[in-house]
Amino acid sequence: MKKSMDDTEMLPARPAADWTHLRPGQPVTVAENGHPARTGTIDAVTTDASILWVRLPGIAPRRMFLHTDPVDIRSAH
């Protein structure tokens, strides 16, 4: 028997990233939406750690990420 839309389970909301341990100058890996992870350096962090700026190699060397973005940013060490 086919499930109707009402019978399907809702996926839990993706938890916000915890970037409170990241600091400017720290090397990190950045993985976005199935793309290969890249290595960069934290350039700036807001006081509440909800926004990061990361320097990455390439055309757009400084990128801003929100804690709700579908991205995985981790310490490279």
Side-chain angles (χ1 to χ4, degrees), residues 1-75:
M1 179 179 194
K2 239 181 180 179
K3 286 187 174 187
S4 71
M5 289 297 281
D6 294 335
D7 295 331
T8 59
E9 291 184 31
M10 296 289 292
L11 293 175
R14 184 176 182 270
D18 180 11
W19 294 335
T20 56
H21 63 283
L22 299 176
R23 301 287 180 257
Q26 183 175 4
V28 291
T29 58
V30 178
E32 295 181 82
N33 295 332
H35 295 280
R38 297 180 289 162
T39 301
T41 304
I42 299 292
D43 190 47
V45 183
T46 57
T47 55
D48 65 356
S50 65
I51 301 172
L52 294 179
W53 284 267
V54 180
R55 290 204 177 273
L56 294 163
I59 295 170
R62 189 172 190 254
R63 296 266 317 270
M64 181 181 74
F65 296 98
L66 304 175
H67 71 98
T68 55
D69 288 344
V71 62
D72 183 16
I73 300 176
R74 300 178 185 206
S75 175

